[in-house]
Amino acid sequence: MRVTVTGASGLIGSRLVAALQARGDEVTVLSRSRPVRWDPEAQPAPAEALSGRDAVVHLAGENVAQRWSEDARRRIRRSRELGTQNLVLGIEQAEPRPAVLVSSSAVGYYGHHHDEPLGEDAPPGGDFLAQVCVAWEREAQRAEALGLRVVRIRTGVVLDEQGGALGRMLLPFRLGAGGPVAGGRQYIPWIHVDDVVGIYLAAIDDPEWTGPVNATAPEPVTNKAFSKALGKALHRPAVAPIPGFAIRAMYGDMAEIVTEGQRAVPRRAQELGYAYRHPDLDEALRAVVS
């Protein structure tokens, strides 16, 4: 297959590009610097990098894991809303057009629902991150009018030692200073990075995949249970509670990602027959930290 990828240098993008190339696919990378230059907020994506492709995977966007100042909020939303809009404008100019657009999103789409299980048909939330996801997905869906199959991957908390949320958690846990955050009752919709890549590959390949798909493991767990499992995987105690006010003092409004969480479940991926490589949390953590 011929696949164009944006955001290829990120945690998921780098793994996905490697997986595509390993199976013999031809990959074109769109980025601000190399090898095909594109500024997502300044211009439509270059049609020549999209014409004749079997699929486009859109992962580019400003990092959410930072203090949400007014400027950061603007950058986070603009990079996703305008960046996706400009990608679709490039697709419109491509000839022939790609068959499928697989666009990243996040389980933050749902907002805060405490312990309510959230399938893909759950309504969007009203908080900042939820509204960013709504705008992000809306722009991606515009490609449907151009004849593309569009899949919107709502990703949870990705387990990878090299980065993401787990990467930031490892040091305090290895020092024996990790533990439940803000009481530990909030859910973590975790997923091993191998399964995120697997879901993207399935979305590219299988014409049955369309619409929103939660990229989460079958069984989300509470923050308390996750902390216990991580301590077990590292052979360290995980009983040092971290109060919510300390997280909020450190990260500001962005702390809600950690202190609230979502109990998102992958109903669509399971209906479509996706076979998880790491469905068990204890095994998934061992695979990551070993």
Side-chain angles (χ1 to χ4, degrees), residues 2 4 26 28 30 35-38 43-53 56 89-96 98:
R2 303 180 71 197
T4 294
E26 177 187 327
T28 300
L30 288 179
V36 179
R37 295 180 63 87
W38 174 48
Q43 60 201 160
E48 63 272 19
L50 303 167
S51 299
R53 268 52 178 188
V56 176
L89 285 174
I91 290 172
E92 184 176 16
Q93 297 165 10
E95 184 60 44

Side-chain angles (χ1 to χ4, degrees), residues 89-288:
L89 285 174
I91 290 172
E92 184 176 16
Q93 297 165 10
E95 184 60 44
R97 290 172 182 158
V100 57
L101 169 62
V102 183
S103 186
S104 179
S105 185
V107 294
Y109 174 94
Y110 303 110
H112 312 310
H113 290 259
H114 303 292
D115 62 352
E116 176 187 350
L118 301 169
E120 289 84 354
D121 58 350
D127 59 279
F128 166 69
L129 190 55
Q131 290 306 298
V132 167
C133 290
V134 168
W136 195 3
E137 294 191 19
R138 182 181 61 241
E139 295 304 324
Q141 279 185 272
R142 296 187 193 280
E144 292 177 344
L146 302 176
L148 279 73
R149 174 171 61 89
V150 177
V151 190
R152 294 165 278 136
I153 307 294
R154 296 171 180 165
T155 307
V157 176
V158 180
L159 303 189
D160 188 304
E161 187 176 13
Q162 302 305 315
L166 182 62
R168 291 187 293 275
M169 293 170 66
L170 284 177
L171 179 59
F173 271 82
R174 282 185 167 135
L175 294 174
V181 174
R185 292 184 296 275
Q186 69 277 26
Y187 274 81
I188 294 181
W190 67 274
I191 183 169
H192 192 285
V193 68
D194 289 349
D195 282 314
V196 178
V197 172
I199 284 172
Y200 270 91
L201 293 175
I204 290 169
D205 295 342
D206 190 339
E208 295 298 315
W209 286 61
T210 186
V213 175
N214 287 343
T216 60
E219 296 293 337
V221 299
T222 64
N223 181 278
K224 183 176 182 179
F226 185 91
S227 299
K228 181 178 179 180
L230 181 55
K232 179 181 177 182
L234 294 170
H235 307 289
R236 294 289 188 274
V239 295
I242 303 171
F245 72 82
I247 297 296
R248 286 187 287 271
M250 186 179 302
Y251 295 115
D253 290 344
M254 192 276 285
E256 68 186 45
I257 296 176
V258 178
T259 59
E260 298 290 344
Q262 293 85 18
R263 192 178 181 180
V265 292
R267 289 175 183 159
R268 189 74 181 122
Q270 291 178 307
E271 290 169 357
L272 290 163
Y274 178 73
Y276 282 83
R277 292 179 60 183
H278 303 280
D280 177 76
L281 178 60
D282 287 330
E283 183 280 328
L285 286 170
R286 286 197 302 271
V288 169

